[in-house]
Amino acid sequence: MKPDVLVAYPLRPRFLEALEARYTLHRLDQATDKDAVLAHAGPLCTAMVVNGHVAVDAAMLDRMPALKLAACSSAGFDLMDLDAMTRRGITLTNTSTALVDDVADTAVLLMLAARRRLVQADAYVRSGDWGRQGMFPLTASTAGKRAGIVGLGNIGLAIARRCEAMGLAIGYSGRNPKPGVAHAYFPDPVALAEWADILIVATPGGAGTAGLISAAVLEALGPQGTLVNVARGSVVDEGALIAALRDGRIAGAGLDVFLNEPHPDPALTALPNVTLYPHHASGTEETRDRMAQLTLDNLDAFFAGRPLLTPVN
């Protein structure tokens, strides 16, 4: 008999087909009566497929007494009670290793687009203003500047490699200095922002980093500074960011993530000095395939008794 797996969030179609061929699936994601699915499947399923968009709290875990693996198909797991999982002997896996390059590329994309005013310049050409009004205003260079990275994990390191190749000096902040990393370490984001021309946020989300990029950090970044966020909207004090952009206390921002998604604050989206992307840094066919495959590989490893590929806890 095939093992029972609860699907709280689907994989991409061809990976879902592979999942269905290997396991007996209980489709919580499709259920109109979720309580009924949990009542039936909860005692049977030792594994579940989930995603960062799904809340997995203690109440849900109470309905799944047999659960031992939560295979998350995203990097983020902000809505999941990791402490409760750990206490119950449930391992969470995620797919952060599968999306490093595309997220790092997007950070660079947003940095350059914000500093060179790509969106505004595109509109300037399309509208005919170039012909009517002459050359577009001068913008800010990037080469030779200082890039401060908040969170030097796998994604942060990939961003650092790209920025270094483009001629930027690199600094970073985090809980502790990274062994073997030659870049300048700063004990907190305020100190890093004081040093940096560009501040790139690549730290995990969650309660521990909520509001980490505060009004004081933005003030330290200064009126020529650029903020880039490819982490989570919660990491930035969005009210302080709106005020800093509006008042010219920072020059601009490039944002992939927002506090309220998919409905960002209109006060933010109306500003001319912010470049916006719809939480799509990992949104390529190739990366989403790798994320789905890694989720499937973790499930296969679990049921085969092999070590998990990307355990979080």
Side-chain angles (χ1 to χ4, degrees), residues 25 56 64 73 87 92 114 134 158 209 224 231 258 302:
L25 303 186
V56 181
M64 303 193 68
S73 61
R87 287 194 303 270
L92 174 70
T209 57
Q224 303 304 314
F258 308 87
F302 170 74

Side-chain angles (χ1 to χ4, degrees), residues 85-264:
M85 287 184 183
T86 303
R87 287 194 303 270
R88 297 166 190 243
I90 301 165
T91 302
L92 174 70
T93 61
N94 74 345
T95 60
S96 58
T97 59
L99 50 74
V100 167
D101 286 328
D102 272 332
V103 175
D105 286 350
T106 300
V108 173
L109 169 75
L110 288 168
M111 174 180 72
L112 292 173
R115 292 182 68 79
R116 299 304 304 270
R117 300 183 64 199
L118 177 64
V119 175
Q120 297 93 328
D122 177 271
Y124 196 74
V125 176
R126 292 177 188 275
S127 68
D129 283 349
W130 183 17
R132 289 189 294 268
Q133 300 181 28
M135 291 301 297
F136 190 73
L138 298 180
T139 61
S141 183
T142 300
K145 303 298 184 184
R146 294 172 170 179
I149 302 172
V150 181
L152 204 70
N154 289 334
I155 292 171
L157 284 167
I159 294 168
R161 289 193 296 271
R162 286 157 171 77
C163 288
E164 197 170 25
M166 294 171 62
L168 286 91
I170 311 298
Y172 72 99
S173 67
R175 290 190 182 93
N176 298 293
K178 291 279 185 180
V181 171
H183 303 310
Y185 173 74
F186 295 82
D188 59 71
V190 172
L192 180 64
E194 286 176 343
W195 172 85
D197 302 295
I198 302 153
L199 193 68
I200 303 174
V201 187
T203 192
T209 57
L212 182 66
I213 307 305
S214 62
V217 173
L218 297 170
E219 197 68 29
L221 184 58
Q224 303 304 314
T226 303
L227 177 75
V228 174
N229 189 7
V230 291
R232 286 290 183 270
S234 60
V235 178
V236 175
D237 180 337
E238 198 167 275
L241 174 61
I242 291 168
L245 288 165
R246 184 190 61 222
D247 299 342
R249 285 183 281 112
I250 66 170
L255 307 175
D256 181 48
V257 290
F258 308 87
L259 189 60
N260 297 303
E261 299 180 1
H263 303 289

Side-chain angles (χ1 to χ4, degrees), residues 30-115:
Q30 294 181 335
T32 54
D33 188 346
K34 295 187 185 299
D35 283 339
V37 172
L38 284 172
H40 171 70
L44 302 176
C45 295
T46 54
M48 69 184 295
V49 176
V50 72
N51 182 279
H53 297 292
V54 178
V56 181
D57 56 15
M60 182 176 181
L61 295 174
D62 284 342
R63 307 288 300 275
M64 303 193 68
L67 188 67
K68 293 299 177 187
L69 172 69
C72 180
S73 61
S74 65
F77 46 88
D78 304 357
L79 300 179
M80 300 179 199
D81 190 335
L82 188 60
D83 290 340
M85 287 184 183
T86 303
R87 287 194 303 270
R88 297 166 190 243
I90 301 165
T91 302
L92 174 70
T93 61
N94 74 345
T95 60
S96 58
T97 59
L99 50 74
V100 167
D101 286 328
D102 272 332
V103 175
D105 286 350
T106 300
V108 173
L109 169 75
L110 288 168
M111 174 180 72
L112 292 173
R115 292 182 68 79

